[in-house]
Amino acid sequence: MTIDKSEYLIKRHNKVYEVVIGLEVHAQVTSNSKLFSSSSTKFGAEPNTQVSLVDAAFPGMLPVINEFCVKQAIKTGIGLRAQINKRSVFDRKNYFYADLPQGYQISQFKYPIVGEGTVILDMQDGQKEVGIERLHLEQDAGKSIHDMDPQNTLVDLNRSGVALMEIVSKPDLRTPNEVSVYIKKLRSIMRYLGTCDGNMQEGSLRADVNVSVRLKDTKKLGTRCEIKNVNSIKFMQMAIDYEANRQVDLIEEGKSIDQETRLFDTKKNETRSMRSKEDAHDYRYFPDPDLLPLEVNDEFINELKLTIPELPDDKKKRFIEEFKLTPYEATILVSDIETSKYFEEVIAKMGKNQDIKLAVNWITGELFAVLNNKNLEISQSPISAKNLAKLVNLIKNGTISGKIGKTIFELMMDGDKDPQIIVEEKGLKQESDPKALEALIDKIINENQEKAIEYKNGKEKLFGFFVGQAMKISGGKANPQLINEILKKKL
Ligand code: ADP
Ligand code: MG
C-alpha cells in the first residue's frame, strides 16, 4: 500500500493510472433540536427517548423548519467561500427502510441552500484548491441495530430528523492523503464556526467516497463507484486504496467498471458491492408539499456574516505575518481553534522581549507530545498557557537552561505549577556567574590532566567530555554557552 505518498499513482504493465475521488460528507449540524421538530439531538440517550410525533412520522404531523439549523448551514457556506442561495427547496427523497418511518427523507435536490465554493488544502508542497459543488440540508434517518437481538432488528429513532449538511465536493481529490487533509480542513472550518462538532466516533461526520481511475494525462473521468457511509479517515484511505486497485485490475483484465454502490468491510479490508448505483429518478424526488420554499434575504445573510470568526486560512496568514511563523508552523497552530487560542494566549502572556520561535517549539514539541500520550485535548492541557509562557521566558532570559526547562516542564504537570516557584524551591536556577564556572572548570581540568593533554594534542572529540563533566557536576545548572566559552579559553 502506498497511502501517504504525495503522488499516488497505480502502475500496471507500463501503464500509469491516476485516481479520482469526490466526497459527499454528511456533517451533523450542531443544534439542540432537530431540523423539523423540537426533539433533543443529544448523543448517547436511551433509544427512542428523543422522538417526537413528527420524527416518528405519525399521520397528519407537519414539519416546521428550525431557523437555527438554516443559519448554521449558511454560516458553513460562508466558511466554504460558497454561493449562498436566497431561495432553496426541500424535496422528498422516497425510499423504504425500517429506520425511515416517513418513507421518504426530506432533503434538497435541485435547489440547495448553498452552491459552489472552495476549500484550500495545505499540502507539504504548497496549497491545493478543492471545489465544493454544493451544500444542502437534509434529515438523518433512524438507526437499525442488528446485533442486539438474535431474532430481530431493533430500530432507534433518536437520530431520525436530526439535521445534516451534505457537503459535496467536485471530483478534485487525487490521493488518500489529500482526502485526509480535506476532511480535517472541513472539520476545522466547521469547528471554528461551531456548526458541526466533527466527532467521527459519534457519527457527526461521515462520508460517501466516490472513486474512479483513469490513465494518467487523460481528461475523461472513469466510471465511479461510491463507497457508502465511511466513518473514519483511516477507513476512507484504506477503502480508496482497495477500490482504486480493484478498478485498475478490472480494466487491465479488459473488463469494464459497473457504476455501483459499495460497502467497505473494515474487518476484511475490502469493498463489496451493495447494489447497482441508483439514479436520482429512482427516488422520485419531488418538492415537499408540507414545506414552503426556503427564502432568505441579504439582510439575513449579512447579519450572519458578522458572526463569522477569523477562519483558519486568514488566521494562518496573520500568524505568518504577525509572528513570522513558517507556513508549516502556522498550519499546525491554526488547524484546531483551541490550539490557536492557546498559542495566542502564550504569546500575550509572554509580554515584551518574547521568543516566539521558542514558544512554538515548546507547544508543538513537548506539549503536543504530552497531550498525545495522555490522549488529551489542548483545552484539557495540564499546563496552562500562562505558565508555559513563564517557562519560555525563564529560558529566554537565561534563568534556566533548555535542558532544565524540560525537568521543570515535567514538574509543572502536577497541578499546573508555576515554573518560577519550582525554580526557587528546587534551586534550579542556571549558574551563569563566570567566576564560579571558571572555578568549576579549573577543578575538572585539574582532575583530568591526561585528557586535557590529549585534547591539546588534537583529540578534539574530548571537548564534549569536559562539557559533560561540567553539566554533570553542576547538576545540569551550568550555563552551557558560558561553559563552552570558558573551556575553549582554558584548554
Ligand atoms: P450522487 O448522489 O448520485 O452520488 P452527487 O452529485 O451527490 O451524486 O455526488 C457525486 C459525487 O461523486 C461528488 O462528490 C463528485 O465529485 C463525485 N464524482 C462524480 N464523478 C466522479 C468520478 N468519475 N470519479 C470520482 N468521483 C466522482
Ligand atoms: Mg451519493
Side-chain angles (χ1 to χ4, degrees), residues 168-182:
V168 183
S169 85
K170 304 218 163 151
D172 288 347
L173 296 157
R174 294 289 175 273
T175 74
N177 188 39
E178 284 179 6
V179 167
S180 164
V181 175
Y182 172 73

Side-chain angles (χ1 to χ4, degrees), residues 24 166 208 210 224 226 228 277-278:
E24 296 157 78
E166 177 166 333
D208 300 340
N210 295 271
R224 71 175 151 131
E226 176 177 2
K228 275 279 173 202
K277 170 82 183 144
E278 64 288 343

Side-chain angles (χ1 to χ4, degrees), residues 227-238:
I227 309 153
K228 275 279 173 202
N229 222 359
V230 191
N231 64 0
S232 95
I233 293 175
K234 201 172 127 232
F235 289 154
M236 288 179 204
Q237 297 188 307
M238 287 159 68

Side-chain angles (χ1 to χ4, degrees), residues 167-340:
I167 303 168
V168 183
S169 85
K170 304 218 163 151
D172 288 347
L173 296 157
R174 294 289 175 273
T175 74
N177 188 39
E178 284 179 6
V179 167
S180 164
V181 175
Y182 172 73
I183 294 278
K184 286 179 185 158
K185 187 63 177 278
L186 265 190
R187 184 168 60 184
S188 164
I189 292 170
M190 293 190 290
R191 282 184 176 162
Y192 268 73
L193 292 165
T195 57
C196 169
D197 66 23
N199 189 331
M200 297 186 94
Q201 274 103 41
E202 293 180 3
S204 304
L205 198 73
R206 0 197 256 267
D208 300 340
V209 183
N210 295 271
V211 181
S212 68
V213 298
R214 64 180 173 193
L215 283 173
K216 193 172 169 349
D217 301 322
T218 50
K219 272 248 157 65
K220 195 167 170 283
L221 288 174
T223 304
R224 71 175 151 131
C225 287
E226 176 177 2
I227 309 153
K228 275 279 173 202
N229 222 359
V230 191
N231 64 0
S232 95
I233 293 175
K234 201 172 127 232
F235 289 154
M236 288 179 204
Q237 297 188 307
M238 287 159 68
I240 291 164
D241 198 54
Y242 177 88
E243 181 58 22
N245 280 286
R246 185 187 74 88
Q247 292 181 13
V248 169
D249 287 341
L250 279 175
I251 295 171
E252 286 292 309
E253 287 165 24
K255 296 180 183 147
S256 62
I257 315 282
D258 292 330
Q259 181 163 333
E260 55 182 6
T261 301
R262 298 177 71 85
L263 191 117
F264 184 61
D265 183 329
T266 54
K267 292 205 183 76
K268 295 201 181 123
N269 187 8
E270 62 185 32
T271 64
R272 258 207 319 272
S273 180
M274 261 168 90
R275 53 178 185 252
S276 70
K277 170 82 183 144
E278 64 288 343
D279 274 317
H281 62 248
D282 296 327
Y283 287 114
R284 302 290 191 274
Y285 277 101
F286 65 87
D288 191 316
D290 290 341
L291 289 158
L292 288 168
L294 180 62
E295 288 180 353
V296 294
N297 56 26
D298 286 321
E299 200 189 333
F300 188 82
I301 298 170
N302 289 335
E303 260 170 42
L304 288 172
K305 279 190 182 152
L306 295 177
T307 69
I308 305 288
E310 183 183 37
L311 292 173
D313 293 329
D314 289 332
K315 207 183 272 295
K316 177 178 167 182
K317 224 171 122 208
R318 179 167 66 79
F319 279 8
I320 291 172
E321 280 163 15
E322 194 174 330
F323 304 129
K324 306 284 173 279
L325 302 190
T326 64
Y328 177 73
E329 291 166 337
T331 301
I332 294 178
L333 291 170
V334 307
S335 64
D336 159 55
I337 188 167
E338 294 300 330
T339 306
S340 74

